[in-house]
Amino acid sequence: MKMNKRTFLAGTAAAMALSAGGMARAASHGEKLKVGFVYVGPVGDGGWTYEHDQGRKAVEAEFGDMVETTYVENVPEGPDAERVMTQMALGGAKLIFTTSFGYMDQTINVAKKFPDVKFEHATGYKTAENVGTYSARFYEGRAVQGTIAGHMTQSNKIGYIGSYPIPEVIRGINSAYIHAKKVNPDVEFKIVWAFTWFDPAKEADAAKVLIEQGCDVVLQHTDSTAPQAAAEAAGNVYTFGQASDMAEFAPKPRISSIIDNWAPYYIEQTRAVMEGTWKSEMTWDGIGAGMVGIGEITDAVPAEVKAEALALKDAIASGEYHPFTGPLKKQDGSDWLAEGETADDGTLAGMNFYVEGLEGEIPQ
Amino acid sequence: MDLSAINPVLLIASLMVAATPILLAGIGELVVERAGVLNLGVEGMMITGAICGFAIAVNTGSPFAGFVAAAVGGAALSLLFALLTQVALANQVASGLALTLFGLGLSSLLGQGYVGIKPPATGRLEIPVLSDLPFVGRILFGHDLMVYFGIAVVAVVWAFLKFTRAGLILRAVGESHDAAHALGYKVKRVRVMAIMFGGACAGLGGAYISLVRVPQWTEGMTAGAGWIALALVVFASWKPWRVLLGAYLFGGVTVLQLNLQAAGLAIPVEYLSMSPYLITILVLVIMSADKSRAPASLGRIFHASQ
């Protein structure tokens, strides 16, 4: 018995040595650029992480043998993320995309230790010499969503499932509310914070609760399609795809969607690193640049509402209209934007207040 | 704040739904632990059950077949754990953790083709007259069968452990496997059977999430429910009815806090959000102030020669 174990161990060691040698050979062979991706959810979530992974695949398709991509999914936003990033950098990745807001400090920390590795952090606001940030102006899509939602609600109650109270989510709530209110002055928002990006059971519960309390349109800022399924089961409730098209729930309950399109950006940044032209930047693109897409508005939406929504989309895309245009007040009644004034990016990036008319407090 | 927006009937009805997955997984793990085995793979068995049940329900069109498949799938995965810990005498904690990781990976592999598909609807119990009773009708008689099945399993496990000879043997194995062995009981056989029962229950709990509560397949969809079930068993001090109480408390506060948020209650959301964990633990810890303790052989490896 013991003898067996020893020979087994020796065999494993030999096998490991062999495979290590093989890997070393492969590494010295080509000049592949290694690109790492850190995901907060599973690639099969059908939402946020799914779209980032589509971007990763686009990078592979674009550069073929010149790149090698790796990814780690389901990485919690905490110390674990730092470990995963360190591992990637040690594994030879020269460009690492960290794709969730909660990786912000971890990205900065790890970037300090690996000055020759470039980091790209999604939706954050901290940069460094070798850390750039990128985000999409989802709030532009939320404006279109809010317009449709305001028209579609019969009960005048719109539910909103928030993930975490961070500026990105708060911007979305404000933008959706402003535009729903514009077309329907009686509209009221019920906001539930799930404190998770991805937990289908909890998201389903949140959607059910909102529906039970009379909401007939449910917007979500969480990553799974569970709220869509809950809305479908409930019957006369409308939803919007979040981050991904979620077209499997069209034409009802899903009547439109916000689609994140990261592929062009990922390709561009990978090329910049290859050519040595990469710089730390804060990229923030919207509908105009194609980073935010509006999914097909289905026939469940009346034609004139659809036309109005598409006109708004075009106006935003051309830069003619800004979703945060005054006059706007903050929730406490103080003035924020004067007539015709538009919000500057600094305020939007750190947005931590509701606009006038929204009820409830933002968890701090 | 508008508390009248909360409908108590719907609240109670939905808490029973929210509690069923952890109730099923918890009662299964309770039996396993009473037999002296600590299986930390509940999460892995739940998610495996979730995809097995989902796949079979979609392919056959029958939710019932789905649930059967989920139980079989969970039990099959738990056999791997039984093999490691009862035959190879591996460390139970490590094997259980490995089982969770394995189950998560296996399920996402099996689930590749099932993303975005809708499962057949699981029917609700409709009893004429009774289901239409005001208030109690919807709460007591308006659920899918699995909700009642969960409660029935708790009752059966309780009666089994308390009144039957087989239950006594199982407890003896969990308290002192050496003594049980000396008396001629088959320690390993009892434990393997307990482990498989636990796996089947966890599988059912997982399938309840993918077929009824959510209902769809998404990778990693159990999102920690297995760990909550594990904690529930400990805080319930290994007593069946307390697992039921704990599961309903946890499910109840989870649903209630979402309701309070939607109604705009002026309590900071952070407190509401942590309340299910806090309240459940608090109540169960207070209740376990009596002399209940863990099965004496819990987590210890048994080999007949020692």
Side-chain angles (χ1 to χ4, degrees), chain A residues 185-202:
Chain A
D186 296 326
V187 86
E188 181 194 331
F189 267 40
K190 283 182 182 288
I191 300 160
V192 167
W193 295 98
F195 282 93
T196 177
W197 287 112
F198 178 81
D199 182 343
K202 199 167 190 183

Side-chain angles (χ1 to χ4, degrees), chain A residues 97-134:
Chain A
F97 291 94
T98 57
T99 66
S100 189
F101 178 82
Y103 299 149
M104 182 159 65
D105 293 332
Q106 289 85 336
T107 306
I108 298 289
N109 289 346
V110 178
K112 266 186 213 141
K113 286 186 256 169
F114 298 94
D116 58 339
V117 177
K118 315 292 183 219
F119 291 83
E120 287 274 347
H121 175 236
T123 70
Y125 52 81
K126 290 186 186 169
T127 56
E129 190 82 337
N130 58 335
V131 182
T133 61
Y134 62 103

Side-chain angles (χ1 to χ4, degrees), chain B residues 10 20 43 64 67 71 141 165 181 193 220 223 231 238 242 245 255 263 288 296 298 306:
Chain B
L10 290 177
T20 298
E43 178 86 1
F64 178 74
F67 279 111
F141 306 109
R165 180 157 187 87
H181 175 68
M193 275 159 43
W238 296 271
R242 290 192 192 175
L245 174 79
V255 177
S288 64
L298 183 60
Q306 284 159 351

Side-chain angles (χ1 to χ4, degrees), chain A residues 42-45 73 190-193 195 198-201 204-206 208-210 212-213 225-226 229-230 232 248-249 363-364, chain B residues 5-6 10-11 14 17-18 115-116 118 209 213-216 218-221 223 254-255 257-259 261-263 269-270 273:
Chain A
V43 294
D45 68 354
E73 50 187 344
K190 283 182 182 288
I191 300 160
V192 167
W193 295 98
F195 282 93
F198 178 81
D199 182 343
D205 283 347
K208 280 180 206 161
V209 161
L210 289 167
E212 281 167 13
Q213 293 204 14
T225 48
E232 185 169 50
E248 63 268 27
F249 290 94
Q364 292 304 325
Chain B
I6 302 175
L10 290 177
L11 178 71
S14 44
V17 170
V115 175
K118 289 162 204 147
I209 298 181
R213 190 165 167 216
V214 173
Q216 56 175 263
T218 319
E219 267 178 50
M221 68 182 308
T254 305
V255 177
Q257 70 98 356
L258 290 170
N259 264 295
Q261 277 198 46
V269 177
E270 293 88 338
S273 215

